[in-house]
Amino acid sequence: MPRFETLIVDVHLATMVPGGEPYGAIRDGAIALSGERLEWVGSASRLDGDPEDVAKRVLRGGGGWLTPGLVDCHTHLVFAGDRVDEFERRLHGASYEEIARAGGGIRSTVIRTREAPEETLLRLARARLARLVAEGVTTVEIKSGYGLETATEMKMLRVARALGALPPVDVQSTLLAAHALPPEHEGNRDTYIELIRAEMIPRAAQQSLADAVDAFCERIGFSAEECARVFEAARAHGLAVRLHADQLSDGGGARLAARFGARSADHLEHTSEDGVRALAEAGTVAVLLPGAFYFLRETKAPPVALLRGHGVPIALGSDLNPGSSPVLSLLVALNMACVLLGMTPEEALAGVTREGARALGLSGDRGTLEAGKRADLALWNIGQPAELAYWIGGNPLRLVFKDGVPRTPPEAARALERPIPDEATAW
Ligand code: DI6
Ligand code: FE
């Protein structure tokens, strides 16, 4: 009697389990899948018999490398319009902050996103998500934050939930209502914070539209004290918190995130050693976003050596958004993390697998290749794992497995075009 349902052989495994070989590597490995879970992970030499004798179905990996399915733990991929004009203005000398203060930036995407019908937003977001999925992403986080009014924030979250109901990817959705002050609340910051606390967070929680709450703690966003009020309401409704912290200036964001036991503190370009220490003590994950650092031509890199030295887990995200990171490739973000931020290729890969899962509170379920975890896998045509951070452009993905179902990159992208299941379209 074959012992396993499905067995993948003729592969090397980058299990990303820490403590042993770099990348948790098992050369000439084998991995058994049972339904949507991994059942057995190890060296092929430990199988008791030929693959065909121990499994009903055998897949051969052609000598490639198998990694956990990639996790993009920070995106803003639901939006309408683009910010190409702003890109041109910045290249003529205007800064991101100047454009934001003059009413452009996030607010210009808000106008387009408020106008867009839900179906349009879904279609646009699906096309962006298809690019990520075709590169091995099996879990993605999507933030709201281009509505800044209850109806549009909920519309964005419903789109995120609808995308998550499609077969090739899981979506975690995050309410980022405290992203920018909407024009109608100009001069009246407290009423907007109160709207978030009294209406948006309760509604998102009641309708199960959000898994977490995020805020932009920044001079052009919200003060640490304002973000704390948002976090208190999130906590009261049982939602996890995360924070855009210290991206353009040190506003005490990392310390605030740590004080609230945030799942993650993201960006961190201007975080001080005190902030890093606080993150370490709180067990908060640092999410680095090299796409925004690159695209805004920032010069102060996040304190990678300090984060490493204090043992803060480091995750990476694409930050896919129209203003500061129009990055449609998580693999390119790996390269940027190494070249621009000084991370190692192994740290970068851990950042989009094990640590990305941790930033989403999903460590027990995915992010490494271990028996019992979800069968989300990516099979790559590469000779060694560091290649994933090496090439710029190009896509070495051969197969992506979501919940045990294998698809080629075009098949995975096409599976996103399927009709949305009924329960998700009950809008
Ligand atoms: N920081 C970012 O990098 C994005 N949001 C944020 O708080 C940028 C969003 C945008 O410019 O549209
Ligand atoms: Fe962001």
Side-chain angles (χ1 to χ4, degrees), residues 294-381:
Y294 162 81
F295 194 67
L296 297 182
R297 304 165 93 195
E298 295 290 345
T299 48
K300 191 169 179 339
V304 169
L306 286 176
L307 292 166
R308 208 185 259 141
H310 287 276
V312 177
I314 304 175
L316 285 179
S318 66
D319 199 14
L320 171 42
N321 79 71
S324 69
S325 186
V327 171
L328 292 163
S329 165
L330 193 56
L331 293 180
V332 166
L334 294 197
N335 179 271
M336 290 176 177
C338 296
V339 174
L340 299 175
L341 310 186
M343 289 175 70
T344 67
E346 184 183 358
E347 286 172 329
L349 186 57
V352 295
T353 53
R354 185 180 72 229
E355 309 307 349
R358 193 197 303 264
L360 298 179
L362 295 173
S363 288
D365 186 62
R366 61 194 78 185
T368 58
L369 303 183
E370 289 176 275
K373 288 210 173 170
R374 194 165 287 281
D376 291 357
L377 312 165
L379 177 64
W380 309 92
N381 290 322

Side-chain angles (χ1 to χ4, degrees), residues 76 83 96 106 146 179 216 244 247 267 292 319 321-324:
H76 309 243
R83 302 252 285 284
Y96 182 74
I106 292 170
Y146 293 123
H179 196 194
F216 187 24
H244 280 69
Q247 179 185 7
H267 286 289
D319 199 14
N321 79 71
S324 69

Side-chain angles (χ1 to χ4, degrees), residues 155-234:
K155 175 172 76 174
M156 293 184 71
L157 293 175
R158 283 194 302 272
V159 169
R161 283 281 188 248
L163 293 167
L166 293 166
V169 67
D170 284 336
V171 173
Q172 284 241 331
S173 66
T174 303
L175 176 69
L176 175 58
H179 196 194
L181 188 69
E184 61 274 20
H185 287 268
E186 195 68 63
N188 232 331
R189 306 181 63 83
D190 284 349
T191 59
Y192 185 58
I193 298 288
E194 208 33 49
L195 183 69
I196 297 174
R197 286 165 51 88
E199 195 172 286
M200 298 195 206
I201 290 176
R203 197 163 302 178
Q206 274 149 23
Q207 298 181 9
S208 287
L209 286 174
D211 303 297
V213 169
D214 195 343
F216 187 24
C217 186
E218 191 53 67
R219 293 186 294 230
I220 55 168
F222 295 90
S223 69
E225 185 275 324
E226 289 166 335
C227 294
R229 276 189 271 155
V230 171
F231 280 2
E232 277 156 14

